[in-house]
Amino acid sequence: MSVKMNGKHLAPFISEDEYKALFPQVKLAHELLHSGQGQGNDFLGWLDLPVNYDKEEFARIKKAAAKIISDSDVLIVIGIGGSYLGARAAIEALKGTLYNNTCKKTPQIFYVGNSISPAYLQDVISLCEGKDVSVNIISKSGTTTEPAIAFRVFRDMLEKKYGKEGARSRIYATTDKARGTLKELADAEGYETFVVPDDVGGRYSVLTAVGLLPIAAAGCDIDQLMAGAAAAREALAVCDENNDCYRYAATRNILYRKGKAVELLACYEPNFTLMNEWYKQLFGESEGKDQKGLFPASVIFSTDLHSMGQFVQDGARIMFETVVDIQKPQKDLYIEKSDENFDGLNFLADQNMSVVNRKAMEGTILAHTDGGVPNVLLEVESLTEFNLGYLIYFFEKACAISGYLMGVNPFNQPGVESYKKNMFALLGKPGYEDRKAELEAKLR
Amino acid sequence: MSVKMNGKHLAPFISEDEYKALFPQVKLAHELLHSGQGQGNDFLGWLDLPVNYDKEEFARIKKAAAKIISDSDVLIVIGIGGSYLGARAAIEALKGTLYNNTCKKTPQIFYVGNSISPAYLQDVISLCEGKDVSVNIISKSGTTTEPAIAFRVFRDMLEKKYGKEGARSRIYATTDKARGTLKELADAEGYETFVVPDDVGGRYSVLTAVGLLPIAAAGCDIDQLMAGAAAAREALAVCDENNDCYRYAATRNILYRKGKAVELLACYEPNFTLMNEWYKQLFGESEGKDQKGLFPASVIFSTDLHSMGQFVQDGARIMFETVVDIQKPQKDLYIEKSDENFDGLNFLADQNMSVVNRKAMEGTILAHTDGGVPNVLLEVESLTEFNLGYLIYFFEKACAISGYLMGVNPFNQPGVESYKKNMFALLGKPGYEDRKAELEAKLR
């Protein structure tokens, strides 16, 4: 099993009887999900995606990635939310947070269209100078403000650089299969297109073309990624006490009902930083509604033991920790003994650095548990493509079960529209005139 | 004034009377701080630091930075917590999150010794190949595990590359003025040293040599940074209703006592990402103790409106937002009208992108306020060195006042020791034998 929940440190906080008492609700959530009778059942495509995906498109993704690798120094990925986080999270987990500095045979990847910051966009534009560039625009509709602005800029850049014809062969559009602004443009221009499926929401889309094309272009093995997800799908299909994914969902829910307000995802591997962000969207958007939900926060330890560590150890007792325990690092480093021992560090020398990192983790778990913070462990053998695919599916399914346990629709996000409507009104978008005056009065 | 608190959106949540009722406590906190009679009064050096700093050392910092710029492609900054976050936060706020890709006349800067990840350390080692490297090791004692491991590795690298003599002129030690492992080594080896003052805690140290040397090496104007902090020191010295820093501290405290558990720092500028992390350490370590404190979290909008936005709009009502409103971007971008208008975006074209970003911010503030989330605005003219220095001091003082209002010692961090003791015991450090057996039993 690639991901295992270890609950041994939960004993002071949750009794086995509590799991038994909640089990009927877990079973109900499982049945709602698998029967497709629960709320949000239009968005269950992710459930069988690891086996039930479009094999022809998958082959085209690999081909497109190979072309990008062969003819591009830079790949610009344009997308926001689920059309951005999954790809970046997977690439940094597998290739490191310093990927853009360490990559040699694959292009640098810069992510734009995920904010409205002109300073950031100008920086990325300047980094394209003198380089061969391809663009992957990812937007179901093509009208989402942030990516649409960025696409105007980079489409223009490519057409100026390569001519209209040349640009066409460097723009890849991941969008709706049949309709929408971007699909129409792509068809008219002859861009190669990939599909954002109708039945997979943004935050669940990393294993579709949305995530797979950038991930493959970074040189990651997407066959293995899918294989890992498929293994998770099979391992986590049955609702019994051996289903660690369900046990994790139950643990979260029990702690929430006991009054915990914050789940703090912790990992001792900096390469997991963007996976933390991906997790925040997945759980925050799925559970955070109807004035409910665990607030998702994250830390990278031991880095953040020297910033948030004090609060976790002894601040307001509002959180529990979910520790993603990566058991084997991608690279290790042997700490040499020093004859002079000028820093008094020889007690930890003569062994691999990963051993020290594990001891820090174990020591911290015990310290935080003693401090009254429940600690759940999710054990992952290593950050390979296979295991990452497994972990992604594990989190996705835990999130769905969590949502049903919480009594919310885990697959919608009505609250995301509110800011957009206000922004459109303030920008004078046709059709929003009434709201404009009202909002401007409030701003005065 | 470089930073202004705007409370106009707080009207539905806090009445003016509440501020008046709290004012005597704010005044008391002010007096405790300025008289040096409050808890943690050994660590008040930051209060007058912007005017009362060592001018000779400051000149040496600038000289060392100039040397690093002239002879190094890469600067390795070794430090953790306050010996890392402040420098990185300031550099990325001023030069962008992509600094290591965009920098031309100044060295790339990589931060190590802030985790125990061998994979990350190996990546940075590989990036030094064929490049000229300098090292700034920042540690008061020299024995903190994370930076000490990294320093062993990079000191060795420099000595192999430049010889013992050559390495000496490329290692800069920021450490205790008189004692400790690192100070002894630096004196013995003849490294240039800078001082971590005794009366300035790690999270308050960004305007000492701890932060200033890396910041200057990135080509930032540290004179202006100090001038901004000095302006804040003067503007925020008096306790009256015009002191926005105190009003911000009072707002935080009122909302905490009303039941808010999380402060969410929000900024619409991705370059602020690491400043968010700096803020988390500052407030989290200062306030998060004795089972109290606002849990500090952060977002970058509009990026995270597509991940955490749903939760903020309509999830559990446990948070308020503090919006850092950068009013003028470092660079702007004019959005051209498109004749074809293929994306229907012309309603926002023919203007600067920064205008769109502001409308997104205004629309979001109104939406979140309507959703029941109190929004505090901290208005900053722009991210110049002067304004950043002002903002840093503003946050530092707000944090001190917040701590006294909360009834805690804002300047200690006893909880940070717990994990270290456990880690030392598990690693078999001499003197921790008893604890070792006990912990290992718990881990079985």
Side-chain angles (χ1 to χ4, degrees):
Chain A
M1 212 183 301
S2 291
V3 179
K4 220 174 138 343
M5 175 180 145
N6 181 336
K8 71 179 170 187
H9 299 289
L10 288 170
F13 306 100
I14 305 178
S15 76
E16 201 49 42
D17 261 0
E18 291 180 76
Y19 285 107
K20 285 185 189 141
L22 193 68
F23 188 73
Q25 291 183 33
V26 175
K27 200 156 177 290
L28 179 67
H30 167 81
E31 282 158 7
L32 282 170
L33 182 64
H34 279 275
S35 68
Q37 300 293 310
Q39 282 194 343
N41 52 14
D42 286 353
F43 291 94
L44 299 180
W46 59 272
L47 202 53
D48 290 326
L49 186 68
V51 290
N52 191 17
Y53 59 92
D54 182 338
K55 310 295 186 300
E56 180 274 332
E57 186 190 49
F58 195 81
R60 277 200 302 119
I61 289 171
K62 289 201 271 185
K63 222 174 123 188
K67 178 173 179 297
I68 293 168
I69 291 171
S70 74
D71 71 4
S72 308
D73 307 308
V74 170
L75 171 65
I76 300 290
V77 174
I78 306 180
I80 192 166
S83 298
Y84 146 69
L85 269 175
R88 184 168 172 195
I91 292 167
E92 296 198 2
L94 295 167
K95 300 287 181 181
T97 53
L98 298 170
Y99 168 78
N100 275 344
N101 296 99
T102 56
C103 63
K104 281 178 184 143
K105 296 175 185 164
T106 51
Q108 290 187 310
I109 301 181
F110 295 106
Y111 305 87
V112 302
N114 59 65
S115 83
I116 320 178
S117 162
Y120 177 79
L121 200 58
Q122 292 284 22
D123 278 347
V124 177
I125 291 168
S126 77
L127 290 173
C128 293
E129 261 172 54
K131 293 192 177 152
D132 276 316
V133 179
S134 291
V135 167
N136 182 199
I137 163 79
I138 306 165
S139 177
K140 187 144 180 84
S141 66
T143 58
T144 304
T145 310
E146 292 86 345
I149 294 175
F151 185 50
R152 276 200 177 190
V153 171
F154 282 93
R155 182 182 174 230
D156 195 48
M157 176 198 284
L158 259 58
E159 292 187 349
K160 281 189 177 128
K161 195 168 180 138
Y162 301 106
K164 239 180 156 5
E165 197 52 48
R168 276 179 192 137
S169 72
R170 292 180 168 273
I171 295 176
Y172 302 84
T174 306
T175 187
D176 190 87
K177 69 174 183 301
R179 62 187 75 82
T181 295
L182 180 56
K183 175 62 178 167
E184 284 163 29
L185 179 76
D187 285 349
E189 295 279 347
Y191 303 152
E192 177 154 20
T193 61
F194 301 96
V195 174
V196 183
D198 286 330
D199 58 355
V200 180
R203 58 188 174 274
Y204 276 85
S205 70
V206 55
L207 299 177
T208 71
V210 168
L212 293 175
L213 179 55
I215 293 169
C220 305
D221 184 338
I222 59 173
D223 286 295
Q224 280 296 302
L225 195 68
M226 294 304 275
R233 176 180 163 278
E234 201 177 316
L236 306 173
V238 178
C239 181
D240 61 21
E241 64 274 23
N242 296 318
N243 190 320
D244 279 5
C245 168
Y246 288 12
R247 190 156 173 110
Y248 168 52
T251 303
R252 300 177 79 256
N253 193 266
I254 289 169
L255 292 169
Y256 180 74
R257 295 189 194 182
K258 262 178 218 247
K260 294 300 179 190
V262 175
E263 178 178 27
L264 192 58
L265 198 73
C267 186
Y268 287 71
E269 179 47 69
N271 289 354
F272 208 75
T273 303
L274 263 286
M275 281 296 295
N276 276 351
E277 296 302 312
W278 176 81
Y279 142 87
K280 281 188 206 168
Q281 179 187 9
L282 182 65
F283 282 85
E285 266 189 357
S286 300
E287 229 180 28
K289 51 197 63 158
D290 310 332
Q291 299 89 58
K292 285 180 273 191
L294 279 161
F295 183 89
S298 67
V299 283
I300 294 294
F301 289 157
S302 65
T303 307
D304 292 331
L305 286 170
H306 292 250
S307 64
M308 290 294 291
Q310 166 64 37
F311 196 112
V312 178
Q313 188 65 49
D314 197 30
R317 306 291 71 190
I318 60 171
M319 87 284 277
F320 68 93
E321 272 176 289
T322 297
V323 179
V324 179
D325 170 14
I326 314 288
Q327 304 196 304
K328 196 170 160 289
Q330 285 140 312
K331 298 164 195 165
D332 217 327
L333 188 147
Y334 191 77
I335 306 173
E336 306 282 350
K337 256 207 154 59
S338 147
D339 289 340
E340 38 175 2
N341 195 22
F342 64 91
D343 48 16
L345 229 61
N346 273 356
F347 73 93
L348 53 71
D350 247 351
Q351 62 189 351
N352 278 329
M353 197 167 164
S354 61
V355 177
V356 181
N357 206 16
R358 285 206 72 72
K359 299 293 179 194
M361 186 193 78
E362 291 171 351
T364 304
I365 289 168
L366 295 177
H368 290 178
T369 302
D370 282 346
V373 179
N375 266 250
V376 189
L377 267 72
L378 300 179
E379 298 173 342
V380 184
E381 287 164 12
S382 59
L383 281 180
T384 60
E385 281 90 342
F386 185 91
N387 293 337
L388 188 68
Y390 194 111
L391 183 64
I392 285 169
Y393 193 92
F394 183 100
F395 273 128
E396 286 179 348
K397 197 165 195 192
C399 182
I401 298 292
S402 291
Y404 284 137
L405 283 175
M406 185 71 76
V408 299
N409 176 348
F411 303 112
N412 68 357
Q413 56 282 334
V416 176
E417 296 308 308
S418 310
Y419 101 90
K420 291 186 193 171
K421 285 182 193 155
N422 283 358
M423 175 176 71
F424 290 148
L426 291 169
L427 284 166
K429 188 175 184 179
Y432 291 83
E433 291 78 3
D434 287 359
R435 193 188 276 251
K436 184 171 200 248
E438 182 197 323
L439 294 178
E440 283 178 344
K442 282 191 187 174
L443 287 169
R444 264 193 296 271
Chain B
M1 212 181 298
S2 291
V3 179
K4 219 174 137 344
M5 175 180 144
N6 181 335
K8 71 178 168 186
H9 299 290
L10 288 170
F13 307 101
I14 305 177
S15 77
E16 201 51 43
D17 263 359
E18 292 180 75
Y19 286 107
K20 285 184 188 143
L22 193 68
F23 188 74
Q25 290 182 34
V26 175
K27 199 155 178 291
L28 180 66
H30 167 83
E31 283 158 6
L32 282 171
L33 182 64
H34 279 275
S35 68
Q37 301 293 309
Q39 283 194 341
N41 53 12
D42 285 350
F43 291 95
L44 298 180
W46 59 273
L47 202 53
D48 291 326
L49 186 68
V51 291
N52 190 19
Y53 59 91
D54 181 338
K55 310 296 187 296
E56 180 274 333
E57 183 189 50
F58 195 81
R60 276 200 302 120
I61 290 171
K62 290 202 272 187
K63 222 174 125 189
K67 176 171 180 298
I68 293 167
I69 290 171
S70 75
D71 70 4
S72 309
D73 307 307
V74 169
L75 171 64
I76 300 291
V77 174
I78 305 177
I80 193 165
S83 298
Y84 145 69
L85 269 175
R88 184 168 171 194
I91 291 167
E92 296 199 2
L94 296 167
K95 301 287 180 180
T97 52
L98 298 171
Y99 168 77
N100 274 345
N101 296 100
T102 57
C103 63
K104 282 177 184 142
K105 294 176 185 162
T106 50
Q108 291 187 310
I109 301 181
F110 295 106
Y111 306 88
V112 301
N114 57 65
S115 81
I116 319 178
S117 163
Y120 177 80
L121 199 59
Q122 291 283 22
D123 278 348
V124 177
I125 291 169
S126 77
L127 290 171
C128 292
E129 260 171 53
K131 293 191 177 151
D132 275 317
V133 179
S134 290
V135 166
N136 182 199
I137 163 81
I138 306 165
S139 177
K140 188 143 179 85
S141 65
T143 58
T144 304
T145 311
E146 291 88 345
I149 293 175
F151 186 51
R152 275 199 177 191
V153 170
F154 281 93
R155 181 181 175 234
D156 194 48
M157 177 198 283
L158 261 58
E159 291 188 349
K160 280 188 178 131
K161 195 170 178 136
Y162 300 106
K164 238 177 158 4
E165 196 53 47
R168 273 179 194 136
S169 71
R170 291 179 168 272
I171 295 175
Y172 303 85
T174 307
T175 187
D176 191 87
K177 68 175 187 299
R179 62 186 76 81
T181 295
L182 181 56
K183 176 63 177 163
E184 283 164 30
L185 180 76
D187 286 349
E189 294 281 345
Y191 303 152
E192 177 154 20
T193 62
F194 301 96
V195 174
V196 182
D198 287 328
D199 58 354
V200 180
R203 58 188 174 275
Y204 276 84
S205 69
V206 55
L207 299 176
T208 71
V210 169
L212 293 174
L213 179 56
I215 293 170
C220 305
D221 183 339
I222 60 173
D223 285 297
Q224 279 295 303
L225 195 69
M226 294 304 276
R233 175 181 164 277
E234 200 175 319
L236 307 173
V238 178
C239 182
D240 62 21
E241 63 275 22
N242 296 319
N243 190 320
D244 280 5
C245 168
Y246 289 12
R247 191 158 173 106
Y248 168 52
T251 303
R252 301 177 78 256
N253 193 265
I254 289 169
L255 291 169
Y256 179 76
R257 296 190 193 181
K258 263 180 217 248
K260 294 299 180 191
V262 175
E263 179 177 27
L264 192 57
L265 198 73
C267 186
Y268 287 72
E269 179 48 70
N271 289 353
F272 208 75
T273 304
L274 264 285
M275 280 297 293
N276 276 352
E277 296 301 313
W278 175 80
Y279 142 86
K280 282 189 208 169
Q281 180 188 8
L282 183 64
F283 282 85
E285 265 188 359
S286 299
E287 229 180 29
K289 51 197 63 158
D290 310 331
Q291 300 88 59
K292 286 181 273 192
L294 279 160
F295 184 88
S298 68
V299 282
I300 293 295
F301 288 159
S302 64
T303 307
D304 292 331
L305 286 171
H306 292 250
S307 63
M308 289 294 292
Q310 166 65 36
F311 196 112
V312 178
Q313 189 64 48
D314 197 29
R317 305 291 73 188
I318 59 171
M319 87 283 279
F320 68 94
E321 271 176 288
T322 298
V323 180
V324 179
D325 171 14
I326 314 290
Q327 304 196 306
K328 196 169 161 287
Q330 283 141 314
K331 299 164 194 164
D332 217 327
L333 186 147
Y334 191 78
I335 306 175
E336 306 281 351
K337 254 205 158 57
S338 148
D339 289 340
E340 38 176 3
N341 196 25
F342 64 91
D343 49 14
L345 230 63
N346 272 356
F347 73 93
L348 54 71
D350 248 352
Q351 63 188 352
N352 278 329
M353 196 167 165
S354 61
V355 178
V356 181
N357 206 17
R358 284 205 72 72
K359 299 294 179 192
M361 185 194 77
E362 291 171 353
T364 304
I365 290 167
L366 294 177
H368 290 178
T369 302
D370 282 347
V373 180
N375 265 249
V376 189
L377 266 71
L378 300 181
E379 299 173 343
V380 185
E381 288 164 10
S382 60
L383 281 180
T384 59
E385 280 90 342
F386 184 91
N387 292 338
L388 188 69
Y390 195 110
L391 183 63
I392 285 168
Y393 192 92
F394 182 100
F395 272 129
E396 287 178 347
K397 197 166 194 191
C399 182
I401 298 293
S402 290
Y404 285 138
L405 282 174
M406 185 70 74
V408 299
N409 175 348
F411 303 111
N412 67 358
Q413 56 283 333
V416 178
E417 297 308 310
S418 309
Y419 101 88
K420 291 187 196 172
K421 283 182 195 155
N422 283 358
M423 176 176 71
F424 290 150
L426 291 170
L427 284 166
K429 188 174 182 178
Y432 290 83
E433 290 79 3
D434 286 358
R435 194 188 275 250
K436 186 171 198 249
E438 183 197 324
L439 295 178
E440 284 178 345
K442 282 190 188 175
L443 287 169
R444 265 192 296 272

